[in-house]
Amino acid sequence: MSKRLSILFLLALLYQVIFAQEGIVSGMVRDTAENKKVVHAVVMLSRKADSTLISSTRTDKEGNFQLHKIPLGTYILLVTFPKFADFSDEVSVKDSLLDLGSIALTNESTLLKEVIVRGGSAIRIKGDTTEFSADSFTVKEGATVEDLLKRLPGFQVNSKGEINVQGKRVEKVLVDGEEFFGDDPTMATQNLGAKAVDKVQLFDTKSEQQQLTGTSSGTEGKTLNIKLKEDSKKGAFGKINAGSDLQKYVDAKALYNRFKGKKKVSLYGTTSNVSTGSLNWEDQQKLGIENDYEYDELSGVGSRLNDDVDDFNNWSLRGLPHSYSAGGLFIDKWNQDKQGVNTSYRYNWLRTDNEASTFTQNILPTTINYRNKFTTSEGMNQQHAANGKWEWKKDSLTSFKFTTAGSYKETQVLAEVKSEFLNNQKETVNTSDQDRDNHTTRTRWDNQLLYKQLFNKKNRQLLTIIRFGLIDDAQNGVNKTKTSFYRNNAVDSIDIIDQMRTLDGASKTLGLKMTYSEPLSTKWMLVFDYAHNRSNASSYRNTFSKNSNGKYETLDPVFSNNFDLDAYSHSGMGLLRFTDKKLKGVIGSGLSSVKLKLYNVDRNVGNSYDFINHKPLAQLSYMPKAQTNISLTYRGTTLQPTIEQLQPIRNNEDPLYEFRGNSDLKVGFRHGFESNFYQYKVLSQRYIYVYSSYSIVENAISNFTIIDTSLGKQIYMPVNTNGNRNWNLYGGWQKRRGPKKLSYGVQLNGNGGLNNSFIQQKNNVVKNKTDYKMLNLAVSIDYEEEGKKNFTIRPKIGYNTSKSSVQSGIKNNYFTYGGNVNGFVMLPGKLELSSEVNIDLRQKLPNFPSNQNFVIWNASLSKKVLKKKTGKIIIDANDVLNQNRGFNRIINTSFVQEERYNRLSRYFLLRFEWTFNKMPGSATSK
């Protein structure tokens, strides 16, 4: 009997031990205003450490809830119910039963601002902003912000650091709402540590006026705001990273950041011959100046005087790089944050050596022909850039912001170009040998003063912006070309060009824009704006041939053009806005007049052009429930010709490929339609986003191409045409399932349309219609065990099709395959092995038989060293399979082209990285 009692006692004890490790969480939910019980409220419990959902339920008819089998530990409790602000609190389950008692929810109408999701959610969507909680996404120790972004749903980061999300490119990255080294986002994404980040916020890039009017231009990209944790904004942190193969390759960079109160100082420097260092993301954008795509009615008229000869920025790099860069940043706020400054300076130097080949198939009405070009070039690009911003909040209603940005850029290009033109039988029509030496400088200075006035009446507001800008361009280039023309496979004649081209250009722009909003009620608002812009510019392009004494002094009037330009514009817009809790809408229209006065200095003749631009707009956004948004947009925009297109300028940089302007161009008009849908479900952690657009263009500016097949010469000029239409589609579905579980997703993107152009062969002019489509489908599978391993597999398949009416039998259709595989694993001895494989496979085209398949495999092996594990020794293996080659394929209305160029192939680096963190409470990595 005693034995049975002992067994029963042991079983009871075992039962207590087993089930004492789990508990029950209970409580009751009520309304604070009416003290009523809240029925069917959602109650969720997430692990505090990684936001993994542990359990969820709904309240019963008495407002009560119970969560069973909860392991002991610390959690985030989240309670949500429609029309009530979310309740979030930290709870600790220490015993078998935790009674939370009465939980009070507050009606949203009593709050100043709607709260969508609190605490335990990895993603929250509030209005036009999507916010990601950084700690909800696992990254390896020592990861950068760029590594974190690769883990966020909908984000794609390529090898150059470019970020695309939800089908749009990220144009600007802010740190705590401030620009970090001007407009170079990689300074933040590639140098700041992921563990210092609290939130990542994503929203459309909009100016102050666009935020006030509630509109967009349709051309904006995305802006990221990286919010740092409070304990990461005190003290200093930084990184030093240096690597070499001990023979020819060096890659090193250093970054130092210091916070003291509201002051922030950052310094950086790089040197490398395996990357471009840190050039601007968009070199042609106004440095540091807030982009307002609807502001400048004179865009493209007086600002682009210089030829686009810069192929050496970070994103369109061709060749092998040698680079240096350095910069500094200072930010401070004082007087209770009423005043603040943000200043930065950057210096960049980049040299590239490149060997490129371009193979082109021209599609003509009665035949096809080929042009092959082989280029050896050396380029140098250096730049000084400085930005400054001063803000003053005079009082609660009045504020000023002054922004200034200046840059000096110098480019030198030396190139040897050999080309050949072949007929449809692949017989030689001409050959060309060319030497180019171009030197270009550009000085730019942009200034903007913004005055914002609020009033005692809510939503009444006045915005005034004054802008002033200066541009000075200079170019000097020598072009020596020998062209041999063939007949019956023998040289028939030779043409020699030995000329110097010069350019002196300058422009001065002044603009004023005022935007005023007047509330009609709590939901309805009228918005008006008026803008006046003026631009004065001069462009003196001259070409000189050698005279008898061997100097370039004989003017060639055919390829010279000198003009002065005065441009004026007046524009106004009226909008009616509606804003409700779930529904937002804007409808209105704008009208502008543009007057161009061109004075041809060479001919002593003046011409005037008058354009009337109409801009109707309608936007509707509907949020049926929290975390879900649907929007529709119609936008009408005019497309006025640029000064380069209007001027009868002839460019002889390549005598076999000549551009001519057209003074008879008309204004085009685009009808654009967009739709956008995104949804995030908290309980299932499912994220869906779909974007689509469709546009029809009247009087589109297209190309008229004249091809002389007997000489192999091509002349093209802009003309108006009708019937052009384009569409874009981007969508995705992602499901997160937490650590030690597979997460997965699907992405689909595509574009297509119908473009019209004209081809003249002999005296026969044919309208060419090109119907093109591109579709890509990708699947993603993710798995992670925090601190131990993770991997991501993203296979993809694409299909491209293009059909031209002039040669309907030629179908340039091909598949693309590939994707990305990456991951890391912690090995014995705390060695960390990382690997990434990018696969890019293309189906061959009939007339381009060379193999253009690439498998780029990069790997690294690292181990932490030093007393506090702040150092790391890394062995980098780049392009293990030695397949990295530059390649680009273009299918246009009248030609198919493949370009190949130098890229840095297989190399190995021994690297040392030291990270220091002098922040209060900073933890040492283990």
Side-chain angles (χ1 to χ4, degrees):
M1 187 71 177
S2 59
K3 186 176 181 179
R4 291 181 180 179
L5 289 174
S6 299
I7 292 174
L8 290 174
F9 176 77
L10 290 174
L11 289 175
L13 182 62
L14 181 62
Y15 177 88
Q16 290 287 333
V17 171
I18 294 174
F19 288 93
Q21 303 303 310
E22 295 182 341
I24 298 174
V25 179
S26 64
M28 188 266 287
V29 181
R30 63 181 180 85
D31 175 4
T32 55
E34 301 180 8
N35 202 27
K36 292 181 178 179
K37 299 170 184 178
V38 180
V39 181
H40 298 312
V42 176
V43 182
M44 295 176 289
L45 202 65
S46 301
R47 187 185 294 121
K48 182 183 178 183
D50 56 12
S51 300
T52 301
L53 184 65
I54 300 300
S55 182
S56 64
T57 187
R58 291 183 180 270
T59 55
D60 60 20
K61 61 182 180 180
E62 298 296 327
N64 298 318
F65 68 88
Q66 282 191 345
L67 299 170
H68 296 271
K69 296 183 179 181
I70 306 301
L72 303 187
T74 304
Y75 301 92
I76 297 295
L77 179 76
L78 180 66
V79 182
T80 65
F81 192 72
K83 298 184 179 181
F84 285 83
D86 299 344
F87 174 87
S88 176
D89 196 12
E90 180 180 315
V91 297
S92 296
V93 181
K94 300 179 180 179
D95 301 310
S96 59
L97 179 61
L98 174 61
D99 187 356
L100 299 175
S102 178
I103 296 175
L105 297 185
T106 304
N107 196 292
E108 289 175 349
S109 61
T110 66
L111 298 179
L112 294 176
K113 203 168 189 179
E114 179 185 7
V115 179
I116 301 299
V117 177
R118 291 284 193 187
S121 179
I123 305 173
R124 73 173 182 177
I125 301 170
K126 185 167 67 173
D128 298 328
T129 300
T130 304
E131 185 175 85
F132 303 85
S133 177
D135 288 341
S136 298
F137 299 88
T138 306
V139 293
K140 62 183 179 181
E141 191 67 38
T144 64
V145 171
E146 184 173 282
D147 297 320
L148 171 63
L149 297 181
K150 292 178 181 179
R151 308 292 297 169
L152 304 185
F155 281 72
Q156 293 179 323
V157 184
N158 66 16
S159 59
K160 302 173 184 177
E162 292 175 306
I163 308 167
N164 284 276
V165 58
Q166 298 175 4
K168 291 189 175 183
R169 176 171 169 170
V170 173
E171 295 179 329
K172 184 181 291 187
V173 174
L174 309 177
V175 178
D176 287 327
E178 295 281 353
E179 288 193 355
F180 193 72
F181 287 102
D183 62 349
D184 183 7
T186 60
M187 284 305 303
T189 59
Q190 295 181 355
N191 292 288
L192 296 180
K195 290 298 184 182
V197 180
D198 180 29
K199 307 287 184 184
V200 175
Q201 296 174 327
L202 175 70
F203 46 88
D204 289 333
T205 304
K206 290 186 178 181
S207 67
E208 295 255 11
Q209 285 93 349
Q210 289 171 324
Q211 294 176 23
L212 179 59
T213 59
T215 65
S216 64
S217 66
T219 59
E220 301 92 347
K222 295 287 187 178
T223 293
L224 281 182
N225 182 34
I226 301 169
K227 296 187 67 176
L228 300 179
K229 297 174 181 176
E230 288 302 317
D231 59 2
S232 296
K233 293 186 286 186
K234 300 174 183 177
F237 70 93
K239 179 189 292 186
I240 296 175
N241 190 318
S244 174
D245 67 345
L246 307 179
Q247 291 182 351
K248 59 185 294 187
Y249 294 123
V250 173
D251 185 41
K253 61 183 176 181
L255 175 70
Y256 172 81
N257 299 273
R258 181 169 181 81
F259 295 86
K260 185 177 180 181
K262 299 294 183 178
K263 292 182 180 180
K264 178 181 180 181
V265 177
S266 296
L267 300 171
Y268 81 94
T270 73
T271 178
S272 178
N273 55 6
V274 300
S275 71
T276 60
S278 181
L279 291 178
N280 291 335
W281 192 311
E282 278 295 342
D283 197 42
Q284 280 118 17
Q285 288 185 358
K286 297 178 180 179
L287 302 178
I289 294 291
E290 184 180 64
N291 290 316
D292 183 349
Y293 295 95
E294 296 180 322
Y295 177 84
D296 190 2
E297 291 290 335
L298 304 180
S299 176
V301 173
S303 61
R304 284 194 59 211
L305 300 175
N306 201 347
D307 289 341
D308 185 12
V309 297
D310 177 19
D311 291 327
F312 304 99
N313 59 65
N314 200 34
W315 312 126
S316 59
L317 176 70
R318 300 290 191 269
L320 308 179
H322 306 267
S323 68
Y324 302 93
S325 66
L329 171 74
F330 176 77
I331 298 175
D332 192 14
K333 291 184 178 181
W334 63 91
N335 192 18
Q336 298 179 338
D337 292 348
K338 291 183 179 180
Q339 294 195 59
V341 295
N342 182 325
T343 61
S344 66
Y345 165 79
R346 300 190 305 276
Y347 172 73
N348 308 111
W349 185 93
L350 172 67
R351 195 192 85 209
T352 54
D353 302 295
N354 187 33
E355 293 183 359
S357 55
T358 305
F359 304 93
T360 305
Q361 176 192 50
N362 293 301
I363 304 172
L364 305 179
T366 59
T367 185
I368 59 175
N369 53 47
Y370 308 89
R371 190 185 192 207
N372 304 322
K373 185 168 67 172
F374 308 91
T375 305
T376 301
S377 64
E378 178 182 310
M380 185 278 293
N381 183 353
Q382 66 174 332
Q383 176 178 262
H384 299 267
N387 300 337
K389 181 172 66 177
W390 169 74
E391 294 183 273
W392 176 36
K393 298 178 181 178
K394 183 175 179 293
D395 51 44
S396 61
L397 299 177
T398 307
S399 64
F400 298 88
K401 181 169 68 174
F402 175 71
T403 307
T404 184
S407 66
Y408 172 80
K409 183 175 181 180
E410 184 176 1
T411 302
Q412 179 81 34
V413 180
L414 300 173
E416 295 180 3
V417 183
K418 297 181 181 296
S419 67
E420 60 180 4
F421 190 90
L422 311 177
N423 61 22
N424 61 333
Q425 302 297 321
K426 301 273 181 93
E427 297 172 336
T428 303
V429 177
N430 68 53
T431 61
S432 174
D433 292 284
Q434 185 178 69
D435 290 328
R436 300 178 189 170
D437 183 354
N438 288 315
H439 182 263
T440 304
T441 63
R442 162 166 283 205
T443 303
R444 184 166 192 161
W445 185 34
D446 292 296
N447 302 273
Q448 173 182 288
L449 176 63
L450 184 147
Y451 161 63
K452 180 188 291 186
Q453 181 65 57
L454 307 179
F455 299 90
N456 290 325
K457 186 175 182 179
K458 184 179 179 182
N459 291 329
R460 177 182 288 172
Q461 187 176 152
L462 173 67
L463 281 178
T464 303
I465 286 184
I466 300 174
R467 286 186 174 183
F468 175 69
L470 295 173
I471 295 177
D472 186 76
D473 286 325
Q475 180 178 320
N476 187 299
V478 174
N479 180 8
K480 299 179 180 180
T481 305
K482 177 183 177 181
T483 306
S484 301
F485 298 94
Y486 287 74
R487 179 175 295 180
N488 299 323
N489 292 322
V491 176
D492 179 67
S493 63
I494 296 176
D495 182 45
I496 295 178
I497 294 177
D498 187 357
Q499 294 181 324
M500 180 179 70
R501 296 190 310 152
T502 63
L503 164 68
D504 289 301
S507 72
K508 179 173 62 178
T509 58
L510 181 65
L512 168 70
K513 185 168 186 178
M514 303 177 68
T515 305
Y516 176 76
S517 64
E518 177 63 30
L520 303 178
S521 67
T522 57
K523 297 182 179 181
W524 292 91
M525 179 190 302
L526 279 174
V527 183
F528 301 96
D529 72 33
Y530 165 78
H532 173 63
N533 295 285
R534 178 171 182 172
S535 177
N536 303 106
S538 60
S539 176
Y540 300 99
R541 303 171 188 256
N542 291 293
T543 300
F544 299 90
S545 300
K546 280 185 178 180
N547 57 18
S548 58
N549 61 10
K551 296 182 179 181
Y552 296 102
E553 295 179 340
T554 302
L555 181 69
D556 185 345
V558 176
F559 295 102
S560 298
N561 184 269
N562 300 278
F563 68 88
D564 294 320
L565 166 70
D566 284 325
Y568 310 86
S569 74
H570 297 271
S571 63
M573 178 174 284
L575 299 170
L576 180 63
R577 286 188 62 183
F578 174 80
T579 304
D580 197 7
K581 188 174 298 183
K582 294 186 177 182
L583 188 65
K584 296 179 182 179
V586 178
I587 189 170
S589 183
L591 192 67
S592 67
S593 66
V594 177
K595 186 176 185 66
L596 306 180
K597 293 183 177 181
L598 276 172
Y599 176 69
N600 191 314
V601 177
D602 301 316
R603 301 178 183 177
N604 195 24
V605 174
N607 290 317
S608 294
Y609 300 88
D610 293 282
F611 302 113
I612 300 297
N613 302 329
H614 182 220
K615 298 184 291 186
L617 174 70
Q619 293 181 330
L620 186 65
S621 176
Y622 177 57
M623 184 176 286
K625 55 185 177 181
Q627 310 292 76
T628 302
N629 186 278
I630 305 169
S631 63
L632 300 172
T633 301
Y634 165 75
R635 182 183 297 102
T637 54
T638 50
L639 307 171
Q640 67 185 41
T642 67
I643 190 63
E644 285 87 356
Q645 294 170 333
L646 288 170
Q647 277 288 96
I649 299 172
R650 296 178 65 181
N651 189 332
N652 68 329
E653 181 175 325
D654 186 342
L656 298 175
Y657 198 74
E658 183 183 323
F659 170 80
R660 294 180 182 177
N662 180 4
S663 59
D664 295 325
L665 288 176
K666 301 177 182 178
V667 175
F669 190 86
R670 177 189 287 121
H671 301 274
F673 304 87
E674 295 179 26
S675 65
N676 204 354
F677 169 79
Y678 52 84
Q679 180 185 71
Y680 178 67
K681 290 194 173 182
V682 178
L683 286 174
S684 61
Q685 298 190 69
R686 190 194 70 185
Y687 188 46
I688 301 175
Y689 44 93
V690 180
Y691 168 83
S692 65
S693 67
Y694 183 79
S695 64
I696 304 171
V697 184
E698 302 173 7
N699 282 329
I701 298 177
S702 186
N703 277 337
F704 187 103
T705 304
I706 304 171
I707 295 183
D708 186 337
T709 55
S710 63
L711 296 177
K713 184 174 181 178
Q714 183 171 330
I715 300 172
Y716 67 101
M717 61 185 295
V719 295
N720 292 110
T721 186
N722 286 309
N724 285 12
R725 57 181 183 266
N726 302 280
W727 58 267
N728 284 277
L729 174 67
Y730 187 88
W733 175 89
Q734 300 214 355
K735 169 77 173 179
R736 294 184 68 247
R737 302 181 65 231
K740 297 185 180 182
K741 294 181 180 179
L742 289 177
S743 298
Y744 34 83
V746 178
Q747 289 183 346
L748 175 67
N749 69 82
N751 62 73
L754 180 66
N755 285 338
N756 295 275
S757 62
F758 299 89
I759 300 175
Q760 179 178 333
Q761 184 181 357
K762 295 182 179 180
N763 294 321
N764 183 29
V765 178
V766 177
K767 186 174 184 179
N768 183 28
K769 297 181 179 180
T770 302
D771 190 355
Y772 69 96
K773 299 179 185 66
M774 184 278 291
L775 286 172
N776 279 317
L777 176 66
V779 178
S780 63
I781 302 173
D782 298 84
Y783 177 84
E784 61 185 6
E785 292 183 25
E786 186 173 4
K788 295 182 180 180
K789 67 181 74 168
N790 72 39
F791 69 83
T792 301
I793 302 175
R794 289 191 173 93
K796 66 178 182 179
I797 183 173
Y799 184 68
N800 298 261
T801 175
S802 176
K803 183 178 180 181
S804 176
S805 63
V806 297
Q807 288 276 3
S808 58
I810 300 176
K811 296 181 176 62
N812 292 298
N813 307 333
Y814 64 96
F815 282 95
T816 60
Y817 312 90
N820 174 274
V821 180
N822 67 79
F824 87 95
V825 61
M826 191 65 69
L827 301 175
K830 294 189 176 180
L831 291 171
E832 183 179 312
L833 177 64
S834 299
S835 182
E836 181 176 17
V837 180
N838 290 291
I839 305 170
D840 194 358
L841 311 178
R842 295 177 181 85
Q843 186 178 356
K844 295 179 182 179
L845 296 179
N847 290 292
F848 300 92
S850 62
N851 179 25
Q852 297 302 332
N853 295 330
F854 309 102
V855 179
I856 311 301
W857 177 20
N858 301 322
S860 69
L861 182 67
S862 64
K863 180 174 177 58
K864 293 181 181 178
V865 294
L866 302 182
K867 185 176 179 180
K868 295 184 179 180
K869 306 300 182 184
T870 56
K872 185 183 288 188
I873 296 176
I874 308 166
I875 299 176
D876 278 335
N878 295 270
D879 188 23
V880 176
L881 303 179
N882 199 27
Q883 294 191 12
N884 194 19
R885 300 184 300 278
F887 178 81
N888 189 32
R889 178 180 285 173
I890 300 173
I891 298 180
N892 210 318
T893 53
S894 58
F895 67 85
V896 180
Q897 186 178 94
E898 287 191 354
E899 178 190 12
R900 297 138 203 186
Y901 52 90
N902 286 150
R903 292 288 296 271
L904 195 62
S905 54
R906 181 167 54 196
Y907 66 92
F908 300 88
L909 294 182
L910 177 63
R911 188 184 298 276
F912 175 73
E913 179 182 293
W914 177 54
T915 304
F916 60 91
N917 191 341
K918 302 297 183 181
M919 300 292 183
S922 60
T924 303
S925 60
K926 302 296 183 184

